[in-house]
C-alpha cells in the first residue's frame, strides 16, 4: 500500500464517521439518552460478515445478548460508539525487539494522531523489558506521546554487579516502575500496570495496543492475572506481534519465570536441558480474544501501518449496547456474556464477560 493510498483510506473512514455523527438520531444523542445505573454493563462490539467486511448499520433487533445463557434486555443501543477514548501503548523494548522500535514509533504515533481528539481523548505509553516503566502518564497531548516514543529504547547492558531489583507490587504509581534483574521481559506486569493503575478509573472506551513478540520472562503477574486486570478495567487489548529470530532466542535455555534454568556444567560435554520456547502468538491471541480486541502479526504482506488501519476501522465502527443484569451479586465473580446477530455467518468481536467487582484481587508470585 502506497503512502497516498494509506492516507486516502484513512480519510474516507473519518469522513464516513463524521457523516454518521452529524446525522439526526445518531450515536451521540442515543448514548446521551441512556440513563446512568451503577449496575449497568456496557458492551462494545464490532461485527463482520463472512468475508471480513465490517457491518456498521445493523439495527438493535438484529442483536441477542445473554449472560450465563440467560437472555438480557438491551436498554441502550448505538450503532456508533462515541465515548471518550483512552488509548494506551505497551511497547516491548527488550534487546531482541530493538530492530523493530523505529517502525513501532512511526506507525504508533501516526495512528494516535489520527485517533485522538484534542477535546475528549487521552493516551499514555509504557515500555517494558527487564522493567516496566511509565514513560508518559495520561495526557491529551499527542506531542508528549511523540516525545515519549522518541525516548523509548532497548535497555543498555548494566554492570555485572548491578543486581538491583524492586520486589514491590508492580506498577506503583509513585514511580511507575517495576524492575527485575537479569534477562527479563515483563509483558504481564506491563498489562497489569496499564490496566490497574491507569485504565481502572477512566470512563468511556479503553484500548491498549501491545507491541511485542508475546513472550514473557519473569513477570510477577501470571498470564491469567494480566487478562483479569484488563477485564476488570474494561480494556480492549489489541496485539501487534513483531516476530524476531535472533541467535539469543534460538539458543536461549530457560524461557519462563526467573530467567535461565541452570543445572549445566560450564564447558561440559553434555548441554543443559533446553525448555521449549513459549508461543508468543498464542499468548497474545488469548489476551486479545478474552478482552474483546484482536491480534495481528507483522509480515511482508501486512505492515504495521496496514494493521493500524484495521484497528482504526474497528474503533470507528463499534456498536454500544448497555444492559442491566437480571441477577445481581456482591461477589467479584466473573460473568460470561455472549453477543450474537441474526446472520449466523457473521462474526461478533466483543469481550467474553465482566467482573462484578472492578477491584482486582492481587496475588503476587
Amino acid at each position: 500500500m502506497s503512502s497516498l493510498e494509506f492516507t486516502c483510506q484513512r480519510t474516507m473512514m473519518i469522513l464516513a464517521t463524521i457523516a454518521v455523527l452529524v446525522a439526526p438520531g445518531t450515536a451521540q444523542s442515543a448514548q446521551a439518552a441512556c440513563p446512568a445505573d451503577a449496575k449497568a454493563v456496557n458492551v462494545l462490539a464490532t461485527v463482520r460478515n463472512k468475508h471480513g467486511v465490517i457491518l456498521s448499520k445493523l439495527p438493535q433487533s438484529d442483536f441477542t445478548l445473554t449472560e450465563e445463557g440467560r437472555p438480557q434486555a438491551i436498554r441502550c443501543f448505538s450503532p456508533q460508539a462515541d465515548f471518550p477514548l483512552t488509548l494506551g501503548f505497551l511497547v516491548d523494548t527488550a534487546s531482541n525487539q530493538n530492530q523493530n522500535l523505529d517502525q513501532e514509533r512511526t506507525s504508533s504515533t501516526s495512528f494516535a494522531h489520527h485517533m485522538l481528539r484534542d477535546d475528549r481523548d487521552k493516551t499514555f505509553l509504557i515500555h517494558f523489558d527487564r522493567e516496566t516503566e511509565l514513560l508518559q502518564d495520561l495526557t491529551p497531548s499527542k506531542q508528549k506521546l511523540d516525545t515519549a516514543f522518541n525516548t523509548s529504547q532497548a535497555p543498555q547492558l548494566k554492570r555485572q554487579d548491578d543486581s538491583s531489583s524492586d520486589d514491590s507490587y508492580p506498577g506503583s504509581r509513585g514511580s511507575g516502575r517495576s524492575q527485575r534483574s537479569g534477562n527479563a521481559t515483563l509483558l504481564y506486569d506491563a498489562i497489569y500496570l496499564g490496566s490497574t493503575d491507569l485504565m481502572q478509573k477512566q470512563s468511556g472506551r479503553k484500548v491498549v495496543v501491545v507491541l511485542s513478540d508475546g513472550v514473557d520472562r519473569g513477570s510477577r503477574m501470571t498470564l491469567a492475572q494480566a487478562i483479569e486486570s484488563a477485564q476488570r478495567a474494561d480494556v480492549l487489548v489489541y496485539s501487534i506481534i513483531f516476530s524476531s529470530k535472533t541467535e539469543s532466542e534460538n539458543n536461549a535455555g530457560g524461557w519462563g519465570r526467573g530467567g535461565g534454568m541452570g543445572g549445566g556444567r560450564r564447558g561440559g560435554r553434555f548441554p543443559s536441558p533446553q525448555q521449549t520456547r513459549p508461543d508468543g502468538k498464542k499468548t497474545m491471541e488469548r489476551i486479545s480474544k478474552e478482552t474483546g480486541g484482536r491480534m495481528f502479526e507483522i509480515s511482508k504482506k501486512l505492515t504495521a501501518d496496514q494493521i493500524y488501519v484495521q484497528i482504526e476501522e474497528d474503533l470507528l465502527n463499534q456498536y454500544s449496547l448497555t444492559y442491566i443484569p437480571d441477577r445481581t451479586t456482591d461477589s467479584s465473580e466473573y460473568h460470561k456474556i455472549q453477543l450474537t446477530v441474526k446472520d449466523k455467518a457473521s462474526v461478533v468481536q466483543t469481550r467474553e464477560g465482566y467482573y462484578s467487582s472492578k477491584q482486582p484481587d492481587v496475588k503476587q508470585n
Side-chain angles (χ1 to χ4, degrees):
M1 179 184 292
S2 68
S3 176
L4 178 59
E5 291 173 330
F6 177 67
T7 302
C8 289
Q9 185 171 353
R10 285 187 182 274
T11 302
M12 291 175 64
M13 290 166 54
I14 293 171
L15 289 175
T17 301
I18 292 173
V20 172
L21 293 178
V22 299
T26 61
Q28 193 168 7
S29 60
Q31 288 170 356
C34 188
D37 191 302
K39 300 176 183 177
V41 178
N42 182 252
V43 179
L44 297 172
T46 305
V47 183
R48 292 178 178 79
N49 65 17
K50 62 182 180 180
H51 303 294
V53 178
I54 284 184
L55 304 176
S56 59
K57 297 182 180 180
L58 298 177
Q60 178 178 335
S61 57
D62 272 17
F63 290 84
T64 300
L65 179 64
T66 64
E67 179 178 308
E68 304 294 352
R70 304 185 309 274
Q72 304 294 312
I74 299 173
R75 301 294 186 93
C76 298
F77 175 83
S78 170
Q80 186 73 48
D82 190 42
F83 300 115
L85 172 67
T86 304
L87 175 64
F89 294 91
L90 308 184
V91 180
D92 185 343
T93 51
S95 58
N96 63 309
Q97 292 293 303
N98 191 32
Q99 67 271 28
N100 302 316
L101 290 179
D102 287 340
Q103 184 179 2
E104 291 175 2
R105 292 188 190 103
T106 302
S107 299
S108 299
T109 53
S110 176
F111 170 68
H113 277 259
H114 278 93
M115 283 302 304
L116 298 175
R117 298 161 295 184
D118 293 335
D119 59 335
R120 306 193 68 189
D121 304 330
K122 290 180 284 188
T123 185
F124 66 85
L125 173 63
I126 292 173
H127 89 95
F128 61 95
D129 38 64
R130 57 175 288 183
E131 65 182 9
T132 59
E133 184 177 7
L134 180 61
L135 294 180
Q136 176 56 58
D137 206 342
L138 287 163
T139 178
S141 171
K142 301 169 189 176
Q143 288 69 35
K144 287 184 178 180
L145 179 68
D146 293 349
T147 300
F149 262 107
N150 288 332
T151 61
S152 63
Q153 59 182 352
Q156 301 297 317
L157 294 176
K158 295 190 175 183
R159 300 190 308 272
Q160 291 185 357
D161 62 349
D162 180 8
S163 58
S164 62
S165 63
D166 178 9
D167 291 327
S168 64
Y169 160 72
S172 168
R173 278 304 284 278
S175 62
R177 175 181 297 186
S178 172
Q179 184 176 25
R180 280 211 169 179
S181 58
N183 181 26
T185 308
L186 307 183
L187 168 62
Y188 304 155
D189 284 357
I191 294 173
Y192 193 94
L193 166 63
S195 300
T196 305
D197 278 18
L198 292 154
M199 289 293 203
Q200 188 77 61
K201 296 181 180 179
Q202 302 306 306
S203 59
R205 295 180 296 159
K206 293 177 273 191
V207 175
V208 160
V209 178
V210 180
L211 302 109
S212 175
D213 63 1
V215 178
D216 182 278
R217 310 175 191 85
S219 281
R220 293 176 177 81
M221 297 295 111
T222 64
L223 173 58
Q225 288 172 322
I227 293 173
E228 179 180 334
S229 68
Q231 290 171 331
R232 288 185 183 277
D234 298 335
V235 172
L236 280 67
V237 179
Y238 281 84
S239 309
I240 300 179
I241 299 290
F242 282 80
S243 299
S244 61
K245 295 181 180 179
T246 65
E247 182 177 354
S248 61
E249 285 183 330
N250 292 333
N251 297 329
W255 297 92
R257 304 189 60 81
M261 294 174 62
R265 292 179 297 173
R266 295 186 62 183
R269 181 174 298 178
F270 302 101
S272 59
Q274 298 290 305
Q275 184 176 349
T276 303
R277 184 179 188 273
D279 190 330
K281 182 177 180 179
K282 288 185 178 179
T283 296
M284 299 311 284
E285 282 179 337
R286 177 182 169 187
I287 294 171
S288 295
K289 181 177 184 295
E290 294 187 20
T291 59
R294 295 171 69 191
M295 193 281 295
F296 298 90
E297 185 172 12
I298 294 289
S299 67
K300 292 182 179 179
K301 296 182 179 180
L302 188 63
T303 67
D305 284 341
Q306 291 169 327
I307 288 172
Y308 272 125
V309 166
Q310 294 188 48
I311 296 176
E312 184 171 347
E313 188 178 21
D314 276 11
L315 301 181
L316 292 177
N317 292 281
Q318 287 180 312
Y319 294 90
S320 173
L321 305 94
T322 303
Y323 74 101
I324 299 176
D326 60 336
R327 299 180 186 176
T328 58
T329 176
D330 293 330
S331 68
S332 60
E333 63 187 60
Y334 184 72
H335 304 272
K336 287 190 68 66
I337 60 177
Q338 184 178 28
L339 183 65
T340 59
V341 292
K342 284 184 178 179
D343 181 5
K344 301 305 179 184
S346 296
V347 177
V348 180
Q349 174 192 326
T350 189
R351 56 177 169 157
E352 297 185 342
Y354 70 97
Y355 281 91
S356 301
S357 171
K358 299 301 182 183
Q359 185 62 36
D361 182 16
V362 179
K363 295 180 181 179
Q364 296 187 26
N365 298 311

